Amino acid sequence: MFEPVTIKDIAKALGLSTSTVSRALRDTHEISAATKKIVLAYAKEINYQPNPIALSLKERRSKSIGVVVSEVANSFFSQAINGIESIAYDRGYHVIISQTHESYDREVINVQHLASRSVDGLLVSLSSQTTDISHLTSLHERGLPIVFFDRVADEIDTHKVIANNEKGAFEATDHLIKSGYKRIAHLTSSSYLSISIERLSGYEAALKANGLSVNQNYIKHCLHGGMLYEETENSIKELMALPEKPDAIFVAGDRLSTGCLSVLKNLNMSIPVAGFSNSDVLDLFNPSLTSVRQPAFEIGQLATQMLLQLIEAKYPIEEFEKKILETELCVRS
Amino acid sequence: MFEPVTIKDIAKALGLSTSTVSRALRDTHEISAATKKIVLAYAKEINYQPNPIALSLKERRSKSIGVVVSEVANSFFSQAINGIESIAYDRGYHVIISQTHESYDREVINVQHLASRSVDGLLVSLSSQTTDISHLTSLHERGLPIVFFDRVADEIDTHKVIANNEKGAFEATDHLIKSGYKRIAHLTSSSYLSISIERLSGYEAALKANGLSVNQNYIKHCLHGGMLYEETENSIKELMALPEKPDAIFVAGDRLSTGCLSVLKNLNMSIPVAGFSNSDVLDLFNPSLTSVRQPAFEIGQLATQMLLQLIEAKYPIEEFEKKILETELCVRS
DNA sequence: CTGAAAGCGCTAACAA
DNA sequence: TTGTTAGCGCTTTCAG
């Protein structure tokens, strides 16, 4: 049906061998200028495009990287993807995006699929369900470069790029306290996630730094991270049914933050909320959301640079680093 | 570095030929049950994964489809992508997403890149800059299946899936008029886009149906479709500087709608806005946005089904259809 | 400077 | 029932 031009067609048309054509196209020095010119001209004329599949098979690399995120429809991830693309594109790499929708099974399938498609490396942000990461370790041990961003797995020794979640959480919680609130609840995602742990830790540190104690009843985990309205709603209802109701909420995730605001609005409740979010329409919100903004684009860029460094390294790299980028607190009231 | 297991490894280990192994794995009837069992067991043991690149080269298809959208960070597109994935995934196809960022040059490069990567078909939503579609016609003529969604090109005879933009625009405009507004401005994107044309037409029809005349000064095109704050701001400033200021605005796009609200908020202006948007946090907005919501997920699904139908067709398909899905008006005030 | 041939992983005639 | 061989498009020794 769809018949692209091959190097063979050029060779036949020009009465040359395929190898000569190949060399001419790749501008090898061992080809006469005359032949080169003819080949290049003809290739251009018939709009020859090399077949990257054949190339991949031959060179055992695909010049593509796989990205594993939970949802594209999430400001943080879509911005990170833009960062990833901006670098990958410049360096001649393709980006293949796959979504886990926070499902562990889906993550395993996607990772395997990407690996079998011979991506040269993987940029991974774990799903909220993931506790077992053997699908990644096995690939990593066999030499597939992997860089984690945002939701990382400390068990795997490789580059990681994250936001300063602990500090961001600290600042947001501290801001609420400094604004006069004393009973600060914490709404967060699955407790497995590195980001949950880090943000929880920042929240607790802020309480302690201000002489407040940590009340476990004030901490609610939503395993679906805001994807399920009912789950978020239940958590908030439980919080608001406590004898000592919280007087402010610090939320640990993007979808969860907006979900929280929706629930509060629908329940006709008014309570200040601060939370992690990279949405670009927060200024339009009412009730407003004091937000912790992550440098999503930069995280994507940095992670990609590190991955390409691993991919293109001549010798296996043994030293890995965890880059931590600062967040930004946007106070709204 | 990263050495996957091949059919050859299995053959060698088991003392069989590669073809026997190949046949056993594909469960051909001409292989003894015993051999099959051995091969399958061993393949499982060493976690054999067929190399899809080799398969692609052989079968001249990649079991993947390319998607061309302007921005992933756009509710409509991210929802559409979810719809696309849901179908593609079930049918064993990979989805490769590429973003044009509304740039024509980028669109050409992406399309060519996808084509050269041997995608089996293309799902395209044109960039707002695109007027010349020869990069698509040439591929289409050479037999590459293409399905347009949302922003379509009528010049190419193929399947198309769109929302009922004209009716959606009519309803939104009509709603504003029925709410008592008489001087309704229209903020829209590039005039090349099919969606702009359709929505403009619905807007004009609503005015006429209500005995109002179309005032060209009330119609503003933003070539960057809301991506450039200044552009949106200028358009709105021009509108509000008119001797007869509009008393309501109908906006034709997602980013443009939120951009419009931001500008109005920042300029401290209050004027009712209705517009196309698929954001899922509109309920939190203040000022509110009466929205025209497109069935983005379904559009993605349908487009993918149609594309797979073209891809898997035994005989070339000559009859094409344009599916039009209904929008939903969500009144907010 | 150019050509012939092998090989990347896999499948499918064709033989045996 | 299984093995041999060729070929998908390309690069790269190795010969000429």
Side-chain angles (χ1 to χ4, degrees), chain A residues 94-106:
Chain A
H94 248 262
V95 176
I96 305 181
I97 298 157
S98 74
Q99 309 187 67
T100 63
H101 300 283
E102 305 289 16
S103 146
Y104 169 71
D105 294 339
R106 193 70 185 258

Side-chain angles (χ1 to χ4, degrees), chain B residues 38-317:
Chain B
I38 299 174
V39 171
L40 287 174
Y42 186 70
K44 187 157 200 178
E45 186 196 326
I46 61 171
N47 189 29
Y48 166 77
Q49 303 276 13
N51 179 334
I53 302 221
L55 259 174
S56 295
L57 186 60
K58 175 121 250 284
E59 318 217 318
R60 301 152 134 273
R61 72 197 166 93
S62 56
K63 277 274 192 176
S64 69
I65 60 180
V67 179
V68 180
V69 297
S70 56
E71 287 274 334
V72 161
N74 171 312
S75 320
F76 172 79
F77 286 121
S78 55
Q79 290 161 23
I81 286 171
N82 282 346
I84 291 170
E85 277 206 331
S86 72
I87 299 290
Y89 184 84
D90 276 355
R91 306 262 299 260
Y93 281 79
H94 248 263
V95 176
I96 305 180
I97 298 158
S98 74
Q99 309 188 68
T100 63
H101 299 281
E102 305 290 18
S103 145
Y104 168 72
D105 293 338
R106 192 71 185 256
E107 180 176 298
V108 174
I109 291 171
N110 286 353
V111 163
Q112 235 131 44
H113 205 150
L114 288 170
S116 81
R117 267 203 95 76
S118 306
V119 291
D120 299 336
L122 237 37
L123 288 173
V124 180
S125 190
L126 296 171
S127 96
S128 61
Q129 278 185 13
T130 305
T131 50
D132 176 3
I133 52 164
S134 53
H135 54 298
L136 290 167
T137 34
S138 64
L139 289 170
H140 188 241
E141 279 163 7
R142 282 159 60 197
L144 183 71
I146 296 178
V147 170
F148 285 102
F149 70 102
D150 188 47
R151 298 133 163 243
V152 307
D154 281 326
E155 299 91 314
I156 295 187
D157 196 27
T158 183
H159 291 320
K160 283 147 203 163
V161 185
I162 59 173
N164 196 334
N165 289 302
E166 185 157 354
K167 190 167 158 205
F170 184 98
E171 287 173 358
T173 312
D174 189 63
H175 164 74
L176 290 172
I177 300 172
K178 294 284 180 355
S179 305
Y181 304 101
K182 295 208 152 20
R183 299 187 306 279
I184 315 221
H186 180 40
L187 197 62
T188 185
S189 181
S190 148
S191 58
Y192 313 133
L193 283 179
S194 60
I195 51 173
S196 297
I197 296 168
E198 292 155 13
R199 292 170 191 177
L200 174 61
S201 158
Y203 158 80
E204 293 180 339
L207 293 183
K208 283 174 193 153
N210 285 277
L212 298 173
S213 62
V214 176
N215 180 343
Q216 291 303 328
N217 292 327
Y218 282 178
I219 301 173
K220 290 286 173 199
H221 289 275
C222 294
L223 296 186
H224 296 272
M227 311 283 280
L228 242 60
Y229 182 85
E230 286 71 24
E231 194 186 47
T232 315
E233 189 181 35
N234 284 338
S235 298
I236 290 179
K237 278 183 173 164
E238 283 173 32
L239 283 175
M240 301 314 262
L242 288 172
E244 278 216 305
K245 277 203 295 199
D247 57 6
I249 308 182
F250 163 60
V251 193
D254 218 305
R255 305 290 292 249
L256 214 47
S257 294
T258 53
C260 177
L261 291 185
S262 294
V263 168
L264 290 172
K265 188 160 199 164
N266 292 340
L267 294 180
N268 244 317
M269 288 175 169
S270 175
I271 174 171
V273 179
F276 275 73
S277 174
N278 270 53
S279 165
D280 42 15
V281 291
L282 292 180
D283 284 330
L284 296 170
F285 279 18
N286 185 335
S288 68
L289 177 74
T290 286
S291 67
V292 182
R293 191 178 183 79
Q294 301 179 72
F297 189 84
E298 290 75 16
I299 289 178
Q301 287 193 309
L302 200 51
T304 310
Q305 279 159 351
M306 294 171 111
L307 181 64
L308 293 184
Q309 183 215 328
L310 292 183
I311 291 174
E312 295 177 349
K314 296 268 188 326
Y315 309 101
I317 291 182

